[in-house]
Amino acid sequence: MTIPISQCLALALLSFFVASAIADEKPRGVTYDGRSMIINGNRELLFSGSIHYPRSPPEMWHDIIRKAKEGGLNLIQTYVFWNIHEPIQGQFNFEGNYDLVKFIKMIGEQDLYVNLRVGPYIEAEWNQGGFPYWLREVPNITFRSYNEPFMHHMKKYAEMVIDLMKKEKLFAPQGGPIIMAQIENEYNNVQLAYREDGKKYIKWAAEMATGLYNGVPWVMCKQKDAPPQVINTCNGRHCADTFTGPNGPNKPSLWTENWTAQYRTFGDPPSQRAAEDIAFSVARFFAKNGTLTNYYMYHGGTNFGRTGSSFVTTRYYDEAPLDEFGLKREPKWSHLRDLHRALRLSRRALLWGTPTVQKISHDLEITVWEKPGSDCAAFLTNNHTKLPSTIKFRGQEYYLPEKSVSILPDCKTVVYNTQTVVAQHNSRNFIASEKAKNLKWEMYQEKVPTINDLPLKNREPLELYSLTKDTSDYAWYSTSINLNRHDLPMRPDILPVMSIASMGHALAAFVNGEFVGFAHGNNIEKSFVFQKPVILKPGTNHITLLAETVGFPNSGAYMEKRFAGPRAITLQGLMAGTLDISLNNWGHKVGIYGEKKQIFTEEGAKKVKWTPVSGPPPGPITWYKTYFDAPEGNNPVALKMDKMQKGMMWVNGNSLGRYWVSFLSPLGQPTQSEYHIPRAFLKPKDNLLVIFEETGGHSETIEVQTVNRDTICSIISEYRPPSVKSFERSGRQFNAIVEDLKSGAQLACPENNQVIKQIEFASYGNPDGACGNLYLGNCTSPNSLKVVEKHCLGKNTCAIPVEREAFDELSKDPCPNTFKTLAVQAKCGLP
């Protein structure tokens, strides 16, 4: 058979291209060396953010991941939460909020990588650090130690997770997004408590993990003595200065937790961390050989149900670049996005160059990454926390604000300074819903039981954790005591005092069915003493306590040996002195009636008789029920609870979590007043809202709100580098992509269908304050408002020149010798 010449040529060309493609194909997989991670043959700078799948409903995941990618991230980091996946030994749940596979696939669909923190200890301000309750009751177990029962269950769980990931082909060598995994978590914090067993355990954990799967690198955070087969990483706020570096020459410098603020516990004041401080720490870390930073958290989300650990608020890391509701917190989100772009412009020099460091003074230094004859990037640093400075580099003077790093991707042009924010600011607003107002409340009050109503009897009060087994926050305790009139004080102005020493966390006390009072501990000191005068009567007196946990502990050594609940109960001031009733025989019952009957659901609500709320507040241990329509628009939804006290919330049977408004911070304000209702929980009409109030509140003040960040601001000084968006790199070429590098004040409404409807503040001079609370200084142009309105009113986006001649004639400048700043606050809305 003769083959035509044209076909021969075609076959030859096809063979050539196939062979070339095979030759050019990068190896699939993940390796590393002392410089960086190497993914599918390519070195990478990794910008990562922690996003936890159980802390947001699946309907929010895509939007959160998309915003993370738009913020310049290429890696998402998440824990795997053992106690939600195996709440009962041998029974697994990977559905709904807990669909880990769906979450990871969704990340991969947006071309992002995953760092899977298997744990199984995760801390994460999560109930019992992620351990399921049943693990606590395994005979002879010691958590996180070289302990056979613990290691058996830890390996079994880790193997289940790894096998699931392999089955779904989610690891990078299989074509999936998972490029790294973590075993254990910050073990150095507790290792000394376990002595030799701690050393043996950490060696075993590393061997176990890499034995289960070695296709991607494994890391251990905060583990200075990490075994050779795993990478030790840094957690903290300033790892450029606190991290001593990897404990091996072939391990890269990785930062697995860069805290974007701090989690909060009930009773805490606000926790904040400036975008400038985060950017400064990241720029310094990359200048000092770092190639991965992870923002913990990038989106914190919500501790739904009873998932938060001891005293942790329902809102988690709300100060992250994406707030609890998934809205961009500005300028944090944009300032970090611009930082990632500046570092990517420096990528070639950082990954293939050689560093040199020049100390100019105690506070000033120059770090240069350079590959001779090609790529060069410089980091100019001013470490002084109060004073700006200038620095001379390669024949040019550069101005450096206090505590800042300037990034020069070509060793000439400043494209970013960590202290100089050119990004937009915003402020969050909570607006009462018009469609969900005029709520009509009904109530049902729990009955206070006596010892005769409680099935579980014991001589002394049972320990609270092991009594509830993490099935409820609540447990009833009750005893009875017979007194005659000679036992009671003779004077009417003297009452006996009931004293209860509790190991935590809170309790409400009742005598003969009447509410006596409420007391609680806090995150630092969980134990407390309750003392209140009580009215006792001749005959039988019933003393009943509603003991409460506010989450299980999540950190520290020997977590399985923690205890809670009432221990010593005495009656003081009786005629015979103090009477200890701790060993008086007590009845117990886990949970409350409405909880058992699930009266927070449509079916359960029919099992009790509800009555309209009228007159004064009905008091403690009261359930409230109402219906509301889904609020207008598409903005997130919140529940304002500022006149309630403490309890739990449900919408359409979904638990919104704990609320605790009566626990005030040192500032005299609740730590959290608004609580997230995900739109995914809502129907268009007739949404069932149920509240359990423990101590008494005003249900008529509860308000359904919508949440927005439609208040936008720009605060730009005369000195600022051009926006990093003005530059690009093509191969070895670094170029400006705009003609005018002067960046003015930029404003953009959060939604494309919005326009700037009002300028709420404008000052060109020396204004001060923050977005939502700007105020005039002693110098301002009288034309400020007019100029800004001209450029911005009625527009979706606008740019305002930050130049003196745009506001005043030079002869009419009210303060010519003042260093000027333009501050603008605008309100966006539908046209």
Side-chain angles (χ1 to χ4, degrees):
M1 177 180 172
T2 304
I3 300 174
I5 293 175
S6 59
Q7 288 187 24
C8 289
L9 286 171
L11 288 169
L13 283 169
L14 179 63
S15 300
F16 171 77
F17 287 126
V18 168
S20 298
I22 292 171
D24 291 341
E25 186 177 329
K26 298 278 187 180
R28 177 182 282 183
V30 187
T31 59
Y32 60 87
D33 58 20
R35 185 70 208 102
S36 72
M37 301 279 286
I38 303 168
I39 304 167
N40 298 330
N42 297 312
R43 292 194 180 278
E44 295 284 358
L45 296 180
L46 294 168
F47 306 104
S48 173
S50 286
I51 300 170
H52 295 160
Y53 54 100
R55 285 177 158 140
S56 295
E59 291 81 355
M60 290 180 65
W61 292 348
H62 182 274
D63 190 56
I64 292 167
I65 296 165
R66 175 183 61 81
K67 289 175 180 175
K69 183 177 181 179
E70 289 172 358
L73 302 193
N74 54 5
L75 175 66
I76 302 297
Q77 180 169 290
T78 186
Y79 285 118
V80 185
F81 298 73
W82 187 356
N83 56 4
I84 63 172
H85 293 308
E86 194 180 5
I88 299 170
Q89 188 173 359
Q91 297 182 22
F92 298 98
N93 180 5
F94 285 89
E95 303 296 322
N97 265 42
Y98 306 158
D99 194 340
L100 172 63
V101 170
K102 179 179 180 179
F103 181 68
I104 293 174
K105 286 182 176 179
M106 202 174 282
I107 296 168
E109 286 164 4
Q110 299 205 39
D111 296 320
L112 301 179
Y113 300 125
V114 173
N115 176 13
L116 193 70
R117 307 179 89 184
V118 177
Y121 170 72
I122 62 172
E123 191 169 354
E125 294 67 61
W126 192 261
N127 213 33
Q128 206 166 234
F131 292 144
Y133 178 79
W134 58 260
L135 191 70
R136 182 183 164 104
E137 295 197 339
V138 171
N140 303 314
I141 197 164
T142 301
F143 291 174
R144 306 178 72 199
S145 180
Y146 197 77
N147 169 269
E148 286 298 334
F150 178 73
M151 293 189 298
H152 167 77
H153 288 287
M154 174 174 168
K155 182 178 180 181
K156 189 176 178 182
Y157 164 75
E159 191 168 18
M160 180 272 295
V161 173
I162 296 302
D163 284 349
L164 178 62
M165 299 300 104
K166 289 194 289 189
K167 176 188 170 187
E168 297 290 338
K169 295 183 169 40
L170 294 177
F171 285 109
Q174 302 174 293
I178 301 173
I179 61 165
M180 56 196 296
Q182 179 178 305
I183 196 72
E184 250 296 334
N185 192 65
E186 297 190 347
Y187 192 68
N188 269 164
N189 290 349
V190 298
Q191 184 169 332
L192 287 176
Y194 299 101
R195 302 188 180 183
E196 284 303 310
D197 278 349
K199 294 179 182 178
K200 288 159 62 179
Y201 164 69
I202 213 67
K203 182 174 182 291
W204 169 85
E207 291 171 352
M208 182 270 291
T210 54
L212 290 177
Y213 187 74
N214 65 356
V216 299
W218 285 86
V219 304
M220 285 182 171
C221 62
K222 275 194 175 181
Q223 193 62 42
K224 293 180 181 178
D225 56 346
Q229 63 268 51
V230 299
I231 305 168
N232 60 309
T233 68
C234 185
N235 289 359
R237 287 191 176 214
H238 293 284
C239 283
D241 301 305
T242 60
F243 187 41
T244 55
N247 65 339
N250 296 317
K251 299 180 182 182
S253 289
L254 311 179
W255 188 354
T256 40
E257 288 189 21
N258 183 357
W259 303 324
T260 52
Q262 189 68 33
Y263 71 90
R264 287 196 260 175
T265 61
F266 288 112
D268 282 349
S271 169
Q272 300 178 6
R273 188 181 179 198
E276 296 92 325
D277 185 60
I278 302 173
F280 176 77
S281 68
V282 173
R284 280 180 58 74
F285 186 70
F286 277 75
K288 290 188 171 186
N289 203 41
T291 51
L292 179 154
T293 188
N294 174 75
Y295 302 106
Y296 191 97
M297 300 289 294
Y298 197 77
H299 166 69
T302 306
N303 290 318
F304 297 114
R306 302 172 40 260
T307 54
S309 63
S310 301
F311 290 89
V312 170
T313 56
T314 303
R315 174 180 291 163
Y316 188 62
Y317 269 88
D318 183 44
E319 295 79 10
L322 297 178
D323 70 12
E324 178 187 17
F325 304 96
L327 301 174
K328 296 174 185 176
R329 177 179 290 278
E330 299 286 20
K332 192 172 283 188
W333 184 86
S334 291
H335 195 49
L336 296 179
R337 174 204 60 196
D338 293 348
L339 169 64
H340 306 148
R341 184 175 178 89
L343 289 169
R344 282 195 173 99
L345 290 171
S346 311
R347 176 178 178 273
R348 291 175 62 89
L350 285 172
L351 291 174
W352 287 280
T354 302
T356 57
V357 180
Q358 182 183 0
K359 279 291 261 185
I360 306 299
S361 67
H362 177 72
D363 295 311
L364 300 177
E365 67 182 32
I366 300 170
T367 303
V368 177
W369 286 84
E370 191 163 16
K371 188 177 181 183
S374 57
D375 302 294
C376 181
F379 296 79
L380 313 183
T381 302
N382 179 7
N383 284 307
H384 201 289
T385 57
K386 295 180 181 178
L387 297 177
S389 188
T390 57
I391 196 167
K392 192 168 185 178
F393 173 59
R394 298 194 175 180
Q396 202 168 338
E397 292 276 348
Y398 294 90
Y399 172 78
L400 287 174
E402 69 281 0
K403 194 186 177 186
S404 74
V405 178
S406 283
I407 300 176
L408 292 67
D410 61 349
C411 285
K412 299 175 186 175
T413 311
V414 175
V415 302
Y416 184 88
N417 177 268
T418 59
Q419 188 65 24
T420 306
V421 177
V422 298
Q424 179 170 289
H425 301 234
N426 65 23
S427 179
R428 189 165 61 191
N429 307 298
F430 291 90
I431 310 296
S433 168
E434 287 296 317
K435 288 181 67 176
K437 64 181 182 180
N438 301 323
L439 303 177
K440 294 179 173 59
W441 290 97
E442 295 180 296
M443 55 165 280
Y444 164 75
Q445 201 151 21
E446 289 273 341
K447 177 192 171 188
V448 179
T450 68
I451 186 172
N452 303 320
D453 304 315
L454 305 180
L456 183 59
K457 305 294 195 295
N458 195 63
R459 188 182 179 198
E460 61 184 336
L462 292 170
E463 193 276 321
L464 186 55
Y465 287 149
S466 54
L467 174 62
T468 65
K469 300 186 189 303
D470 197 25
T471 59
S472 172
D473 275 8
Y474 307 108
W476 288 109
Y477 293 68
S478 188
T479 191
S480 61
I481 181 170
N482 286 300
L483 300 171
N484 62 49
R485 65 183 182 84
H486 299 296
D487 295 320
L488 302 173
M490 304 300 289
R491 288 172 49 181
D493 60 330
I494 295 178
L495 292 174
V497 171
M498 182 164 66
S499 178
I500 306 167
S502 173
M503 296 183 292
H505 298 156
L507 65 80
F510 303 82
V511 172
N512 297 322
E514 296 296 320
F515 180 61
V516 175
F518 173 79
H520 60 85
N522 58 55
N523 185 50
I524 304 299
E525 184 52 71
K526 295 169 179 63
S527 61
F528 62 94
V529 176
F530 172 97
Q531 286 187 313
K532 291 284 184 180
V534 294
I535 298 174
L536 299 172
K537 63 183 182 180
T540 301
N541 290 270
H542 294 286
I543 295 170
T544 303
L545 312 176
L546 182 62
E548 307 169 14
T549 60
V550 190
F552 274 53
N554 74 315
S555 61
Y558 301 105
M559 279 170 44
E560 73 284 356
K561 296 177 173 62
R562 309 289 179 83
F563 307 105
R567 298 304 299 156
I569 302 100
T570 60
L571 294 173
Q572 302 167 357
L574 299 175
M575 294 304 289
T578 297
L579 180 62
D580 189 339
I581 57 173
S582 306
L583 305 179
N584 196 54
N585 289 323
W586 289 79
H588 307 78
K589 188 176 184 180
V590 176
I592 50 180
Y593 181 80
E595 192 178 30
K596 295 283 187 184
K597 295 297 181 181
Q598 296 190 334
I599 67 173
F600 46 81
T601 65
E602 287 287 359
E603 283 302 309
K606 299 172 185 174
K607 297 176 182 178
V608 298
K609 184 178 180 181
W610 299 86
T611 58
V613 175
S614 60
I621 56 171
T622 300
W623 293 83
Y624 297 94
K625 173 173 77 81
T626 192
Y627 288 89
F628 68 96
D629 292 342
E632 57 278 7
N634 297 312
N635 284 335
V637 181
L639 202 59
K640 184 182 180 183
M641 301 288 289
D642 61 342
K643 294 297 189 297
M644 298 299 282
Q645 300 286 313
K646 180 180 183 293
M648 304 278 286
M649 308 158 290
W650 293 263
V651 167
N652 295 328
N654 299 289
S655 176
L656 304 181
R658 306 178 178 105
Y659 70 89
W660 196 349
V661 183
S662 59
F663 194 168
L664 303 182
S665 78
L667 303 177
Q669 299 294 323
T671 305
Q672 183 177 349
S673 296
E674 302 89 11
Y675 294 81
H676 185 200
I677 307 176
R679 287 249 177 204
F681 290 0
L682 298 180
K683 307 178 293 184
K685 289 185 172 297
D686 299 325
N687 295 283
L688 173 63
L689 170 61
V690 177
I691 309 292
F692 176 63
E693 170 57 54
E694 297 167 16
T695 64
H698 296 267
S699 61
E700 73 278 6
T701 66
I702 295 174
E703 190 173 85
V704 179
Q705 303 175 320
T706 58
V707 189
N708 67 58
R709 287 187 176 270
D710 293 344
T711 301
I712 59 174
C713 302
S714 186
I715 305 167
I716 299 288
S717 67
E718 287 183 300
Y719 167 78
R720 74 277 178 200
S723 169
V724 69
K725 291 183 285 187
S726 304
F727 303 92
E728 69 175 9
R729 183 179 285 281
S730 177
R732 294 180 179 177
Q733 297 299 312
F734 175 79
N735 302 306
I737 56 176
V738 295
E739 290 184 12
D740 185 4
L741 288 176
K742 292 181 179 178
S743 60
Q746 309 281 334
L747 289 173
C749 289
E751 302 295 336
N752 290 332
N753 62 342
Q754 293 178 318
V755 297
I756 294 170
K757 300 193 74 172
Q758 182 184 358
I759 304 301
E760 299 178 326
F761 179 92
S763 174
Y764 182 62
N766 59 354
D768 209 341
C771 192
N773 189 31
L774 292 168
Y775 53 90
L776 297 173
N778 57 17
C779 161
T780 188
S781 167
N783 299 312
S784 299
L785 183 62
K786 182 171 67 175
V787 171
V788 173
E789 286 182 337
K790 175 186 172 184
H791 282 87
C792 294
L793 275 183
K795 298 179 181 178
N796 177 257
T797 64
C798 67
I800 311 142
V802 184
E803 298 167 359
R804 298 191 175 210
E805 56 270 26
F807 288 86
D808 301 291
E809 296 177 25
L810 293 180
S811 60
K812 296 181 180 179
D813 189 333
C815 34
N817 298 320
T818 299
F819 186 77
K820 303 284 183 65
T821 293
L822 173 62
V824 179
Q825 180 171 308
K827 184 70 175 176
C828 290
L830 296 175

